[in-house]
Amino acid sequence: MSPRIYVCEAKVFRNSRGKEVLCRLKYEITPFNDGLFRWFLINIEELE
């Protein structure tokens, strides 16, 4: 099964700023044969 890309927007706490900011998160999702999925964060883009 091939990996898929999932993108979502969420408020996340950024240590560098010391506060929550709106970010776009991009994940690579790889399904396995036993019904489990591996989520791997590949990119964080600040929107604020």
Side-chain angles (χ1 to χ4, degrees):
M1 297 184 183
S2 63
R4 297 195 174 154
I5 301 298
Y6 175 73
V7 179
C8 68
E9 292 180 3
K11 287 256 186 187
V12 297
F13 184 83
R14 297 295 305 241
N15 286 335
S16 61
R17 291 183 173 235
K19 65 177 184 172
E20 286 187 347
V21 295
L22 184 62
C23 292
R24 181 173 292 129
L25 309 170
K26 187 183 288 187
Y27 295 94
E28 179 183 85
I29 304 170
T30 305
F32 295 107
N33 290 334
D34 55 2
L36 298 175
F37 293 87
R38 179 188 72 145
W39 289 62
F40 184 74
L41 181 63
I42 56 176
N43 189 21
I44 298 176
E45 176 187 351
E46 286 189 24
L47 301 176
E48 293 182 342

